[in-house]
Amino acid sequence: MSRNSERSQVVLVTGAADGIGAAISALAVARGHRVMLTDVNGEAVHSAARRLGDRAAGCVLDIRDPEGWAKAFDAAEAQLGAVDVLINNAGITHTGHARDLSLQQHRDIVEVNLLGTITGVHTALRRMTEQGRGHIINVCSMTSFLPLPGYSTYGASKYAMRGFHHSVALEERNGPLDFTIIHPPSTRTKMLDQEMADPTSAISFAEKSYAPEQIAKAVVDAIVSKPVEVVFPPLAGRVQRIAGVFPRLMRWVLPRVEARGVRQRERLVSDGQPRASDASETPHRSVS
Ligand SMILES: NC(=O)c1ccc[n+]([C@@H]2O[C@H](COP(=O)([O-])OP(=O)(O)OC[C@H]3O[C@@H](n4cnc5c(N)ncnc54)[C@H](O)[C@@H]3O)[C@@H](O)[C@H]2O)c1
Protein backbone atom coordinates (compact mmCIF):
# COMPACT_ATOMS: atom_id res chain seq x y z
CA MET A 1 0.00 0.00 0.00
CA SER A 2 1.49 3.37 -0.94
CA ARG A 3 1.62 6.03 1.69
CA ASN A 4 -0.87 8.17 -0.23
CA SER A 5 -3.45 5.39 -0.14
CA GLU A 6 -3.64 5.52 3.64
CA ARG A 7 -7.01 6.89 4.72
CA SER A 8 -6.84 10.67 4.76
CA GLN A 9 -7.25 11.83 8.35
CA VAL A 10 -7.94 15.24 9.83
CA VAL A 11 -4.93 16.13 11.94
CA LEU A 12 -4.66 19.09 14.35
CA VAL A 13 -1.04 20.07 15.11
CA THR A 14 0.00 22.56 17.83
CA GLY A 15 3.15 24.67 17.57
CA ALA A 16 2.90 24.16 13.80
CA ALA A 17 4.38 27.47 12.64
CA ASP A 18 7.98 26.37 13.09
CA GLY A 19 10.40 23.57 13.96
CA ILE A 20 9.11 20.03 14.48
CA GLY A 21 5.44 21.06 14.24
CA ALA A 22 5.95 22.68 10.82
CA ALA A 23 7.79 19.56 9.60
CA ILE A 24 5.01 17.28 10.92
CA SER A 25 2.37 19.39 9.16
CA ALA A 26 4.23 19.40 5.83
CA LEU A 27 4.77 15.63 5.87
CA ALA A 28 1.19 14.90 6.96
CA VAL A 29 -0.15 16.96 4.03
CA ALA A 30 2.31 15.23 1.67
CA ARG A 31 0.92 11.87 2.86
CA GLY A 32 -2.62 12.97 1.94
CA HIS A 33 -3.93 14.03 5.35
CA ARG A 34 -5.85 17.26 5.97
CA VAL A 35 -4.06 19.39 8.54
CA MET A 36 -5.16 22.23 10.83
CA LEU A 37 -1.95 24.02 11.75
CA THR A 38 -2.24 25.92 15.04
CA ASP A 39 0.23 28.16 16.83
CA VAL A 40 0.37 31.07 19.26
CA ASN A 41 2.11 32.99 16.44
CA GLY A 42 -0.87 33.82 14.21
CA GLU A 43 0.92 35.44 11.29
CA ALA A 44 3.48 32.63 11.01
CA VAL A 45 0.92 29.84 11.26
CA HIS A 46 -1.33 31.31 8.58
CA SER A 47 1.57 31.70 6.16
CA ALA A 48 2.82 28.16 6.95
CA ALA A 49 -0.68 26.81 6.21
CA ARG A 50 -0.93 28.79 2.94
CA ARG A 51 2.37 27.26 1.76
CA LEU A 52 0.89 23.75 2.21
CA GLY A 53 -2.07 24.29 -0.14
CA ASP A 54 -5.75 23.50 0.13
CA ARG A 55 -5.45 20.41 2.34
CA ALA A 56 -4.16 22.70 5.12
CA ALA A 57 -5.67 25.51 7.16
CA GLY A 58 -4.29 27.74 9.89
CA CYS A 59 -5.68 28.87 13.23
CA VAL A 60 -4.28 30.86 16.18
CA LEU A 61 -4.12 28.76 19.34
CA ASP A 62 -2.30 29.45 22.58
CA ILE A 63 -2.43 25.98 24.10
CA ARG A 64 -2.87 27.48 27.58
CA ASP A 65 -6.31 28.82 26.56
CA PRO A 66 -9.25 26.38 27.00
CA GLU A 67 -11.60 28.50 24.85
CA GLY A 68 -8.94 28.67 22.15
CA TRP A 69 -8.85 24.87 22.08
CA ALA A 70 -12.63 24.66 21.57
CA LYS A 71 -12.38 27.23 18.74
CA ALA A 72 -9.51 25.36 17.09
CA PHE A 73 -11.41 22.05 17.09
CA ASP A 74 -14.51 23.85 15.72
CA ALA A 75 -12.45 25.59 13.02
CA ALA A 76 -10.86 22.29 11.98
CA GLU A 77 -14.26 20.60 11.78
CA ALA A 78 -15.77 23.45 9.75
CA GLN A 79 -12.87 23.67 7.28
CA LEU A 80 -11.48 20.13 7.06
CA GLY A 81 -13.75 17.71 8.98
CA ALA A 82 -13.88 16.38 12.57
CA VAL A 83 -10.41 15.95 14.11
CA ASP A 84 -9.18 12.32 13.95
CA VAL A 85 -5.66 12.95 15.26
CA LEU A 86 -4.43 15.53 17.78
CA ILE A 87 -0.66 16.13 17.77
CA ASN A 88 0.31 18.03 20.92
CA ASN A 89 3.67 19.38 19.83
CA ALA A 90 3.91 23.00 21.09
CA GLY A 91 6.46 23.51 23.83
CA ILE A 92 8.94 26.04 25.19
CA THR A 93 12.12 26.10 27.20
CA HIS A 94 14.06 28.68 29.17
CA THR A 95 17.71 27.71 29.41
CA GLY A 96 19.74 28.04 32.60
CA HIS A 97 20.11 26.48 36.00
CA ALA A 98 17.08 26.49 38.33
CA ARG A 99 18.57 29.09 40.67
CA ASP A 100 19.14 31.52 37.77
CA LEU A 101 15.68 31.36 36.17
CA SER A 102 12.95 33.65 37.48
CA LEU A 103 9.94 32.04 39.12
CA GLN A 104 7.89 33.35 36.19
CA GLN A 105 10.12 31.45 33.74
CA HIS A 106 9.66 28.24 35.75
CA ARG A 107 5.89 28.79 35.73
CA ASP A 108 5.79 29.58 32.00
CA ILE A 109 7.44 26.27 31.15
CA VAL A 110 4.94 24.31 33.25
CA GLU A 111 1.97 26.29 31.96
CA VAL A 112 2.82 25.67 28.31
CA ASN A 113 4.41 22.22 28.28
CA LEU A 114 2.28 20.54 30.93
CA LEU A 115 -0.93 22.48 31.53
CA GLY A 116 -1.28 23.42 27.86
CA THR A 117 -0.98 19.77 26.87
CA ILE A 118 -3.42 18.68 29.58
CA THR A 119 -5.92 21.28 28.33
CA GLY A 120 -5.62 19.93 24.80
CA VAL A 121 -6.02 16.31 25.87
CA HIS A 122 -9.01 17.24 28.05
CA THR A 123 -10.68 18.94 25.06
CA ALA A 124 -9.91 16.04 22.72
CA LEU A 125 -11.04 13.28 25.09
CA ARG A 126 -14.66 14.45 25.14
CA ARG A 127 -14.91 15.33 21.47
CA MET A 128 -13.17 12.22 20.19
CA THR A 129 -15.11 9.90 22.51
CA GLU A 130 -18.38 11.42 21.27
CA GLN A 131 -17.39 10.77 17.65
CA GLY A 132 -16.28 7.23 18.56
CA ARG A 133 -12.70 7.51 17.28
CA GLY A 134 -9.51 9.50 17.75
CA HIS A 135 -5.76 9.32 18.28
CA ILE A 136 -3.82 11.58 20.65
CA ILE A 137 -0.09 11.88 19.92
CA ASN A 138 1.97 13.78 22.49
CA VAL A 139 5.42 15.07 21.53
CA CYS A 140 7.43 14.82 24.75
CA SER A 141 11.24 14.62 25.17
CA MET A 142 14.06 12.26 26.14
CA THR A 143 14.44 14.58 29.17
CA SER A 144 11.29 12.88 30.50
CA PHE A 145 13.60 9.98 31.44
CA LEU A 146 16.79 11.81 32.38
CA PRO A 147 17.36 14.35 35.15
CA LEU A 148 19.82 16.75 33.49
CA PRO A 149 21.54 19.91 34.72
CA GLY A 150 20.18 22.91 32.81
CA TYR A 151 16.81 21.22 32.22
CA SER A 152 15.21 21.19 35.68
CA THR A 153 11.74 22.56 35.01
CA TYR A 154 11.74 21.70 31.31
CA GLY A 155 12.54 18.08 32.21
CA ALA A 156 10.04 18.15 35.08
CA SER A 157 7.31 19.33 32.71
CA LYS A 158 8.13 16.46 30.35
CA TYR A 159 8.34 13.85 33.16
CA ALA A 160 4.89 15.03 34.25
CA MET A 161 3.58 15.02 30.69
CA ARG A 162 4.66 11.40 30.30
CA GLY A 163 3.00 10.41 33.60
CA PHE A 164 -0.22 12.17 32.59
CA HIS A 165 -0.16 10.66 29.11
CA HIS A 166 0.25 7.04 30.19
CA SER A 167 -2.25 7.37 33.07
CA VAL A 168 -4.93 8.71 30.72
CA ALA A 169 -4.09 6.05 28.11
CA LEU A 170 -4.62 3.37 30.77
CA GLU A 171 -7.89 4.95 31.95
CA GLU A 172 -9.14 4.95 28.35
CA ARG A 173 -7.75 1.52 27.38
CA ASN A 174 -11.17 -0.01 26.78
CA GLY A 175 -12.50 3.00 24.84
CA PRO A 176 -12.26 3.99 21.18
CA LEU A 177 -9.20 6.23 21.44
CA ASP A 178 -5.52 5.52 20.72
CA PHE A 179 -2.55 7.14 22.48
CA THR A 180 1.06 7.57 21.39
CA ILE A 181 3.91 9.44 23.06
CA ILE A 182 7.11 10.31 21.16
CA HIS A 183 10.37 11.47 22.73
CA PRO A 184 12.64 13.48 20.41
CA PRO A 185 16.31 13.92 21.29
CA SER A 186 18.05 17.23 20.43
CA THR A 187 16.53 18.45 17.19
CA ARG A 188 17.84 21.27 15.03
CA THR A 189 15.14 23.90 15.59
CA LYS A 190 14.99 27.32 17.20
CA MET A 191 14.71 25.57 20.56
CA LEU A 192 18.18 24.09 20.02
CA ASP A 193 19.45 27.51 18.88
CA GLN A 194 18.34 28.83 22.26
CA GLU A 195 20.29 26.03 23.97
CA MET A 196 23.31 26.69 21.76
CA ALA A 197 23.40 30.30 22.96
CA ASP A 198 23.69 29.22 26.61
CA PRO A 199 26.72 27.23 27.86
CA THR A 200 24.61 25.75 30.69
CA SER A 201 22.78 23.74 27.99
CA ALA A 202 25.98 22.28 26.51
CA ILE A 203 24.90 18.75 27.46
CA SER A 204 22.38 18.95 24.60
CA PHE A 205 25.32 18.76 22.21
CA ALA A 206 26.87 15.63 23.69
CA GLU A 207 25.12 13.35 21.22
CA LYS A 208 23.92 13.42 17.63
CA SER A 209 21.16 15.87 16.87
CA TYR A 210 18.30 15.16 14.48
CA ALA A 211 16.66 17.15 11.70
CA PRO A 212 13.03 18.12 12.39
CA GLU A 213 12.02 16.07 9.33
CA GLN A 214 13.37 12.88 10.99
CA ILE A 215 11.18 13.45 14.05
CA ALA A 216 8.25 14.36 11.80
CA LYS A 217 8.56 11.03 9.99
CA ALA A 218 8.25 9.11 13.28
CA VAL A 219 5.23 11.20 14.28
CA VAL A 220 3.40 10.91 10.94
CA ASP A 221 4.22 7.17 10.69
CA ALA A 222 2.59 6.83 14.14
CA ILE A 223 -0.76 8.01 12.71
CA VAL A 224 -0.94 4.61 10.99
CA SER A 225 1.19 2.32 13.18
CA LYS A 226 -0.09 3.72 16.53
CA PRO A 227 2.90 2.75 18.72
CA VAL A 228 2.50 3.23 22.48
CA GLU A 229 5.86 5.00 22.92
CA VAL A 230 8.80 5.97 20.67
CA VAL A 231 12.30 6.87 21.92
CA PHE A 232 15.28 8.27 19.98
CA PRO A 233 17.68 6.85 19.03
CA PRO A 234 15.96 3.47 19.19
CA LEU A 235 18.75 1.65 21.08
CA ALA A 236 20.66 4.43 22.89
CA GLY A 237 17.30 5.94 23.85
CA ARG A 238 16.42 2.77 25.74
CA VAL A 239 19.77 2.91 27.58
CA GLN A 240 19.17 6.57 28.52
CA ARG A 241 15.72 5.63 29.74
CA ILE A 242 17.19 3.10 32.16
CA ALA A 243 20.07 5.39 33.23
CA GLY A 244 17.58 8.05 34.29
CA VAL A 245 16.13 5.74 36.91
CA PHE A 246 19.44 5.77 38.83
CA PRO A 247 20.57 9.29 39.88
CA ARG A 248 23.73 7.84 41.45
CA LEU A 249 24.69 6.31 38.10
CA MET A 250 23.99 9.68 36.45
CA ARG A 251 26.53 11.36 38.78
CA TRP A 252 29.15 8.92 37.59
CA VAL A 253 28.36 9.24 33.87
CA LEU A 254 27.57 12.95 33.76
CA PRO A 255 31.08 14.51 33.87
CA ARG A 256 32.11 12.63 30.70
CA VAL A 257 28.88 13.41 28.87
CA GLU A 258 29.01 17.07 29.92
CA ALA A 259 32.63 17.40 28.80
CA ARG A 260 31.73 15.95 25.38
CA GLY A 261 28.80 18.36 25.11
CA VAL A 262 31.01 21.35 25.95
CA ARG A 263 33.60 20.28 23.35
CA GLN A 264 31.00 19.72 20.63
CA ARG A 265 29.22 23.00 21.35
CA GLU A 266 32.52 24.91 21.26
CA ARG A 267 33.39 23.23 17.98
CA LEU A 268 30.08 24.32 16.43
CA VAL A 269 30.57 27.88 17.70
CA SER A 270 34.17 28.06 16.44
CA ASP A 271 33.06 26.59 13.07
CA GLY A 272 30.94 29.74 12.78
CA GLN A 273 27.70 27.87 13.35
CA PRO A 274 26.07 29.76 16.21
CA ARG A 275 22.63 28.48 15.12
CA ALA A 276 22.22 24.73 15.50
CA SER A 277 19.19 24.82 13.18
CA ASP A 278 21.45 25.87 10.27
CA ALA A 279 23.59 22.74 10.52
CA SER A 280 22.74 20.07 7.96
CA GLU A 281 24.25 17.39 10.18
CA THR A 282 26.01 17.57 13.52
CA PRO A 283 28.82 15.10 14.13
CA HIS A 284 27.75 14.43 17.69
CA ARG A 285 24.89 12.82 19.55
CA SER A 286 22.36 14.64 21.69
CA VAL A 287 20.08 13.96 24.67
CA SER A 288 17.27 16.50 25.13
N1 LIG B 1 14.25 20.89 19.52
C1 LIG B 1 14.60 19.97 20.42
O1 LIG B 1 15.81 19.73 20.64
C2 LIG B 1 13.55 19.16 21.14
C3 LIG B 1 13.97 18.02 21.83
C4 LIG B 1 13.02 17.26 22.51
C5 LIG B 1 11.70 17.63 22.52
N2 LIG B 1 11.31 18.75 21.84
C6 LIG B 1 9.89 19.12 21.90
O2 LIG B 1 9.38 19.20 20.58
C7 LIG B 1 8.32 20.15 20.55
C8 LIG B 1 8.57 21.15 19.41
O3 LIG B 1 9.80 21.81 19.68
P1 LIG B 1 10.62 22.62 18.55
O4 LIG B 1 12.03 22.29 18.75
O5 LIG B 1 10.00 22.45 17.23
O6 LIG B 1 10.39 24.11 19.09
P2 LIG B 1 10.38 25.49 18.28
O7 LIG B 1 10.70 26.51 19.32
O8 LIG B 1 11.20 25.41 17.05
O9 LIG B 1 8.85 25.64 17.84
C9 LIG B 1 7.84 25.66 18.80
C10 LIG B 1 6.56 26.22 18.22
O10 LIG B 1 5.59 26.25 19.29
C11 LIG B 1 4.96 27.51 19.32
N3 LIG B 1 4.49 27.82 20.67
C12 LIG B 1 5.21 28.25 21.74
N4 LIG B 1 4.39 28.47 22.79
C13 LIG B 1 3.14 28.16 22.38
C14 LIG B 1 1.85 28.20 23.00
N5 LIG B 1 1.70 28.63 24.27
N6 LIG B 1 0.77 27.80 22.30
C15 LIG B 1 0.92 27.40 21.00
N7 LIG B 1 2.08 27.38 20.35
C16 LIG B 1 3.19 27.74 21.03
C17 LIG B 1 6.02 28.49 18.82
O11 LIG B 1 5.43 29.70 18.33
C18 LIG B 1 6.73 27.67 17.74
O12 LIG B 1 6.13 27.83 16.48
C19 LIG B 1 8.29 20.81 21.94
O13 LIG B 1 7.28 20.21 22.71
C20 LIG B 1 9.65 20.49 22.51
O14 LIG B 1 9.66 20.46 23.90
C21 LIG B 1 12.20 19.53 21.15
Side-chain angles (χ1 to χ4, degrees), residues 31-205:
R31 295 255 183 104
H33 300 301
R34 286 158 286 152
V35 181
M36 174 55 83
L37 290 84
T38 72
D39 201 284
V40 70
N41 184 339
E43 201 176 311
V45 81
H46 283 297
S47 68
R50 275 194 300 274
R51 284 195 297 275
L52 296 182
D54 57 10
R55 278 205 307 276
C59 171
V60 183
L61 169 62
D62 182 334
I63 62 167
R64 295 167 293 187
D65 172 18
E67 286 175 15
W69 272 104
K71 285 182 190 155
F73 268 76
D74 289 344
E77 184 157 357
Q79 294 175 57
L80 305 168
V83 175
D84 299 300
V85 183
L86 166 63
I87 301 179
N88 269 314
N89 161 78
I92 62 165
T93 193
H94 290 296
T95 61
H97 286 177
R99 64 166 69 227
D100 298 322
L101 296 187
S102 68
L103 269 180
Q104 191 56 50
Q105 288 175 309
H106 286 287
R107 282 175 190 275
D108 287 347
I109 295 170
V110 173
E111 278 173 15
V112 175
N113 296 0
L114 179 59
L115 296 176
T117 300
I118 290 175
T119 309
V121 171
H122 191 260
T123 309
L125 281 175
R126 295 203 179 157
R127 290 181 178 242
M128 289 177 163
T129 304
E130 270 168 29
Q131 72 196 20
R133 66 175 195 287
H135 185 183
I136 296 174
I137 301 178
N138 285 324
V139 178
C140 193
S141 167
M142 287 307 293
T143 59
S144 67
F145 302 111
L146 288 166
L148 291 176
Y151 291 84
S152 55
T153 301
Y154 177 82
S157 72
K158 298 293 188 177
Y159 263 78
M161 183 204 276
R162 181 171 184 266
F164 173 77
H165 174 96
H166 285 308
S167 300
V168 173
L170 289 172
E171 288 168 1
E172 302 290 329
R173 67 190 180 283
N174 296 321
L177 308 189
D178 295 295
F179 295 85
T180 297
I181 189 162
I182 296 189
H183 303 284
S186 290
T187 308
R188 296 187 292 276
T189 67
K190 286 186 182 144
M191 187 175 280
L192 197 61
D193 292 343
Q194 208 181 324
E195 293 164 6
M196 180 104 164
D198 185 344
T200 64
S201 298
I203 201 162
S204 269
F205 298 88

